[in-house]
């Protein structure tokens, strides 16, 4: 467990993993009612990091009831918005003050390079919390004119936006701390209470965030954190009658299951699902930038990004140059444990995920795709997969159609704007796309035609708390971030007064 190789993580991160981690229910850290535990695994060594409590149905029930009591409690429901804002700002300060520890834990648990965990995951979380804190004091309804035809009567009508209530929030393993913040911050800003379930592969930073939430002074029960598998802990949470809304990020398959189950009791539901996002490089683009951008779009976070640029389309005349450039970058990347100092590409999150990705690579080969670089596991220990580039995949190739969630790119040429619009949209997903070009007319024409929740131009994978984020088609339902996130966690109440 506490081996010398963890020295780069720092003392505070090592202290956190020195003991078993428990569930946060009603302001207390508790064991699972039935005492069950499971292991957090280091994906670079396949070794155990520490034990975690595994929440069962009794724990889910206690957490939901605690969140319900906290929601109805006047300490929370009648708290001034400015005081909720202050709590979120306090939490942001605490996260910032614990940057080293949180980055160390995230790097260890997910396998991501430490410097990226620090900049993207922890700093991104601080910025997100501060942004959402501001929304606490800016929730607003509308006043409306009415035309009700009753003689000699006048009316006054307005709407209120009120917190939905108790929300179940289920998050994936690719950006565990940031996803916890994306879920919790808007819910807390508007006055909801929450039960958060991190992915079983990556619980550490969510649990540390739970401690910081307590330290910031949020009342007991406002945030509850349950660790355990999706099929048991997650499913029990989704099915619980005490939940008013479910917010989920993860695979499209599980998202559909959750959506269907939510409909049984008409729980509100928002879904942030998978993608197969195209990166489109026109011949007139700044090719050096576009090639580096295309490599970053797929290899960032080992390709475990819902908006990963996993389909590369380059205009015919520059296709060979673009593919060679991306392949050269892939070959140059230094693979290693996230916490090793010179690592550029870490392991995948789990053995299961590595096997999935390797299976996709085999399928790609079997279906006639050509591997330009990569195409195999890296080393014999840890869940490392070589960054891989495919060409010559047919339009129905599995690697072109399904979300792989690993460092695997499929490159294809295109000829015209009509051609590329059709290719880009030839997918069941619609999360994001990027266009690399200096031709404004081409960019605008294509942007309008692409069916995706985000279109980046001359950049990829950039997010900002103020920008709505979500998917067309099977990439999801609803938009997170910005003002849209406030709508996700509030209901509209119409008030009509005869005066
Ligand atoms: P997943 O199975 O959809 O898991 C996402 C979250 O849902 C996890 O917390 C998971 O818990 C939970 N969950 C799973 N089954 C559930 C159920 N029946 N009821 C309630 N909650 C449930 O995704 P994954 O296994 O982590 O990854 C599989 C694939 O999902 C990836 O290869 C990728 O294609 C996609 N993915 C997409 C995103 C995204 O941001 N869009 C992120 C991650 C993964 P446990 O993990 O603890 O079982
Ligand atoms: Mg892990």
């Amino acid at each position: 467990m506490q081996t010398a190789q963890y020295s780069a993580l720092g003392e505070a991160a090592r202290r956190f993993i020195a003991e078993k981690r428990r569930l946060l229910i009603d302001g207390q850290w508790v064991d699972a009612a039935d005492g069950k535990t499971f292991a957090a695994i280091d994906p670079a060594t396949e070794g155990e990091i520490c034990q975690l409590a595994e929440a069962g149905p009794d724990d889910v029930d206690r957490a939901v009831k605690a969140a319900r009591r906290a929601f109805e409690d006047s300490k929370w429901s009648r708290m001034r918005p400015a005081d909720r804002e202050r709590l979120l700002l306090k939490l942001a300060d605490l996260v910032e003050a614990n940057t080293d520890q949180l980055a160390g834990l995230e790097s260890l648990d997910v396998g991501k390079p430490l410097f990226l965990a620090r900049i993207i995951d922890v700093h991104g979380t601080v910025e997100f919390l501060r942004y959402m804190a501001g929304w606490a004091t800016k929730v607003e309804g509308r006043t409306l004119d009415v035309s009700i035809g009753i003689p000699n009567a006048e009316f006054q009508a307005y709407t209120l936006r009120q917190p939905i209530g108790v929300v179940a929030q289920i998050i994936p393993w690719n950006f565990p701390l940031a996803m916890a913040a994306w879920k919790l911050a808007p819910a807390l800003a508007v006055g909801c209470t929450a039960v958060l379930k991190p992915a079983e592969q990556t619980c550490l930073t969510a649990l540390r965030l739970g401690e910081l939430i307590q330290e910031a002074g949020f009342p007991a029960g406002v945030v509850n954190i349950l660790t355990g598998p999706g099929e048991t802990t997650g499913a029990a949470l989704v099915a619980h009658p005490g939940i008013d809304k479910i917010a989920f990020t993860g695979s499209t398959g599980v998202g559909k299951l959750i959506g269907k189950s939510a409909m049984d009791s008409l729980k509100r539901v928002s879904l942030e699902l998978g993608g197969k996002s195209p990166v489109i490089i026109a011949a007139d683009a700044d090719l050096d930038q576009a090639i580096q951008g295309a490599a970053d779009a797929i290899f960032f976070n080992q390709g475990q990004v819902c908006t990963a640029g996993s389909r590369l389309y380059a205009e015919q005349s520059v296709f060979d140059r673009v593919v060679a450039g991306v392949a050269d970058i892939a070959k140059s990347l230094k693979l290693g444990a996230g916490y090793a100092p010179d690592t550029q590409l870490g392991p995948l999150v789990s053995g299961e995920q590595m096997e999935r990705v390797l299976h996709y690579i085999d399928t790609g080969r079997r279906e006639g795709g050509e591997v330009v670089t990569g195409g195999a596991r890296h080393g014999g220990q840890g869940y490392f997969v070589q960054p891989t580039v495919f060409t010559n995949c047919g339009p129905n190739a599995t690697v072109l159609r399904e979300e792989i969630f690993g460092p695997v790119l499929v490159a294809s040429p295109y000829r015209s704007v009509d051609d590329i619009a059709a290719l880009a949209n030839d997918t069941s997903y619609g999360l994001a796309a990027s266009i690399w070009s200096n031709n404004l007319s081409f960019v605008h024409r294509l942007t309008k035609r692409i069916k995706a929740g985000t279109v980046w131009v001359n950049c990829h994978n950039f997010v900002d708390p103020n920008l709505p984020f979500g998917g067309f088609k099977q990439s999801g339902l609803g938009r997170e971030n910005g003002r849209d996130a406030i709508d996700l966690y509030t209901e509209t109440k119409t008030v009509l007064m005869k005066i």
Side-chain angles (χ1 to χ4, degrees), residues 110-185:
V110 191
K112 56 179 81 199
L114 197 49
F115 74 97
L116 288 176
R118 178 183 289 275
I119 302 167
I120 305 285
D121 298 81
V122 183
H123 182 66
T125 295
V126 172
E127 298 266 282
F128 191 86
L129 289 169
R130 289 194 178 130
Y131 170 87
M132 275 300 161
W135 273 109
T137 54
K138 288 154 197 80
V139 178
E140 58 186 20
R142 291 174 292 159
T143 59
L144 304 126
D145 290 340
V146 295
S147 306
I148 298 167
I150 294 182
N152 305 322
E154 272 186 63
F155 293 91
Q156 176 69 26
Y158 62 94
T159 61
L160 297 170
R161 298 268 341 169
Q162 295 192 300
I164 283 184
V166 177
V167 301
Q169 304 186 310
I170 297 180
I171 56 173
W173 39 254
N174 51 352
F175 296 95
L177 178 66
M179 286 299 104
W182 278 34
K183 292 284 179 281
L184 288 172

Side-chain angles (χ1 to χ4, degrees), residues 41 43 109 201:
I41 301 294
D109 208 8
Q201 300 86 348

Side-chain angles (χ1 to χ4, degrees), residues 217 261 444:
S261 135
H444 283 301

Side-chain angles (χ1 to χ4, degrees), residues 351-372:
E352 190 187 349
Q353 188 62 12
M354 178 183 72
E355 293 304 336
R356 278 191 68 204
V357 172
L358 291 174
H359 181 71
Y360 272 117
I361 293 173
D362 283 348
T363 306
R365 275 206 184 88
R366 259 192 296 110
E367 292 178 353
E370 183 186 323
V371 173
V372 180

